[in-house]
Amino acid sequence: MADGSGRAKRMYTGSDGEGWGPNRGGGEFRATEQDEHQSIGRTETVPHPVSPFRDEARDVATGHPIAILPGIWEIRESLAPAFDTPETWVSLFLITDPTGHASPVMIDTGVPRSTHTVILPALEALGFAPSDLKVAVNTHSHHDHAGSNVQLREATGCQIWIGRLDGPALLRGDRFGPDEIPPHSADRLLDGGEIVNLAGRDYEIIDMPGHSPGSIGIFDRERGILFTGDAIQARGTTTQGVPGASNRPAYRNTLATVRALPVEHLLPAHAYLPFPPAHVTPGSEVHRYVDVSREAIDTIDDRLASAIRNAGGSATIAKIADTICADQPRTPVLAAPILTDYLNQMAAVGRVRHDADHWTLL
Ligand SMILES: [Zn+2]
């Protein structure tokens, strides 16, 4: 972090780790003058930054870093326009070294615009230059987690690390709404069991496949802190209301893996129902999170079958999604692709049939 420039460092001193919702963000920034000769310098309170840190329309704090745990900051990015609902965002995390010796690290890079809309502003807010960022680790390859890899590497010179089995997806490229994500390669492919040093602390790479083949958890065993990306999803995002686990056997193994770890702080990348966003704690809640995740994935086929049965034995995906999402204010159109994936799996074992635009119970 120390760049020797002697310029003002900003330390966030708010207590936003507690209390989610519209009133969060009530802390204040302190500007601390520091240089090599002066470890405790002049402090002054500066007004709480509003723009460009907050997307009021969605109640999404953007480049405004929120203190979650010592040396761990949450940075939110809206998911408009691809997932344009008020309550949906992706949580990126910035890991810093409280002693100021090691370089900061990003966990995930967001959507293509995120380098400029949230990551560089967050680095600046904490007193870092772009070139201070040396590494960004992707929890997986999806467009809202690895979408700004190219821009961030260009702007900061950082390396991009990702789980080995999600490396090929980066090479294929992707889209987020109108924005293209160009094909690109990672600088380092990570394997489960590896220990990596991030911002001065050791983290263990945990294989967590199921949502994607190369999804990884990033685990500080000493503090019980686990970054999970989208690897475990409880009942799904607040937008979709169903968990996205295309490979259910792998996903079930991942749930068992997490349940066996001494996790006290689970840091997922989205708000997953019915849990609070960004930070699930303590360990007993983490176990409940895992159990809810397991139940959601084990009951989805029966819920789909029942939705088709209630529609007279045959229904369109729109009708099925309306039924599945009826009990909560989800956006059925966004749940439909995930539900279609599960229906295809049910078709493969002869439980449903797909003709034209209807799914029929067999
Ligand atoms: Zn994902």
Side-chain angles (χ1 to χ4, degrees):
M1 164 173 167
D3 60 8
S5 69
R7 67 197 158 80
K9 304 286 183 190
R10 277 176 159 192
M11 305 291 289
Y12 186 60
T13 58
S15 58
D16 289 309
E18 295 176 12
W20 302 98
N23 294 326
R24 68 193 296 234
E28 59 188 19
F29 276 83
R30 255 166 205 279
T32 306
E33 198 76 39
Q34 287 180 319
D35 61 36
E36 294 100 316
H37 312 293
Q38 186 182 21
S39 59
I40 302 172
R42 176 177 63 85
T43 62
E44 71 181 74
T45 299
V46 296
H48 189 295
V50 175
S51 179
F53 297 106
R54 195 164 192 86
D55 177 347
E56 295 291 348
R58 296 180 180 80
D59 187 28
V60 174
T62 57
H64 173 186
I66 305 288
I68 296 266
L69 287 162
I72 296 178
W73 309 82
E74 185 202 356
I75 303 160
R76 291 182 177 182
E77 170 67 281
S78 136
L79 291 182
F83 298 88
D84 198 5
T85 65
E87 55 194 355
T88 301
W89 62 83
V90 61
S91 295
L92 317 177
F93 296 95
L94 179 63
I95 311 180
T96 61
D97 177 0
T99 71
H101 289 102
S103 303
V105 170
M106 279 301 300
I107 303 295
D108 285 336
T109 67
V111 301
R113 61 175 179 258
S114 299
T115 290
H116 297 284
T117 53
V118 300
I119 300 177
L120 295 180
L123 287 168
E124 187 184 357
L126 295 176
F128 296 108
S131 59
D132 289 335
L133 189 75
K134 305 298 185 202
V135 173
V137 186
N138 295 149
T139 58
H140 63 300
S141 60
H142 289 167
H143 58 182
D144 50 337
H145 301 264
S148 206
N149 286 355
V150 171
Q151 291 87 341
L152 191 63
R153 190 158 52 186
E154 168 86 22
T156 67
C158 74
Q159 288 199 352
I160 300 295
W161 299 357
I162 195 169
R164 183 173 300 280
L165 295 182
D166 265 21
L170 298 186
L171 295 171
R172 289 195 290 272
D174 201 351
R175 299 196 71 78
F176 178 77
D179 298 328
E180 194 190 338
I181 299 169
H184 61 286
S185 59
D187 299 289
R188 179 173 172 182
L189 299 175
L190 299 167
D191 293 306
E194 258 187 88
I195 305 291
V196 294
N197 191 278
L198 306 177
R201 295 189 70 89
D202 283 344
Y203 286 82
E204 189 176 328
I205 300 303
I206 310 288
D207 277 330
M208 297 182 68
H211 174 68
S212 76
S215 282
I216 53 170
I218 302 158
F219 184 44
D220 177 344
R221 192 174 279 274
E222 192 181 316
R223 296 197 290 172
I225 298 168
L226 179 64
F227 297 94
T228 54
D230 292 356
I232 59 177
Q233 304 202 354
R235 291 188 191 131
T237 62
T238 51
T239 303
Q240 290 159 320
V242 281
S246 50
N247 183 336
R248 270 183 285 184
Y251 189 82
R252 288 190 182 98
N253 285 341
T254 288
L255 294 174
T257 299
V258 175
R259 211 175 196 295
L261 290 175
V263 181
E264 289 297 325
H265 303 272
L266 185 89
L267 304 180
H270 302 285
Y272 285 114
L273 296 165
F275 293 89
H279 191 183
V280 176
T281 187
S284 54
E285 273 298 276
V286 172
H287 277 188
R288 194 168 76 86
Y289 189 100
V290 171
D291 294 343
V292 166
S293 300
R294 172 79 198 213
E295 197 216 352
I297 214 73
D298 285 349
T299 57
I300 189 69
D301 286 1
D302 286 344
R303 291 174 63 204
L304 286 164
S306 147
I308 298 170
R309 193 176 303 113
N310 290 342
S314 187
T316 62
I317 186 62
K319 172 69 182 161
I320 295 167
D322 275 343
T323 306
I324 297 285
C325 299
D327 56 336
Q328 287 165 317
R330 306 287 85 82
T331 308
V333 69
L334 295 174
I338 296 178
L339 295 174
T340 300
D341 189 24
Y342 292 124
L343 286 164
N344 279 323
Q345 293 177 42
M346 291 169 73
V349 295
R351 200 164 170 194
V352 295
R353 188 180 70 231
H354 189 212
D355 317 289
D357 61 349
H358 273 65
W359 293 91
T360 303
L361 210 51
L362 297 177

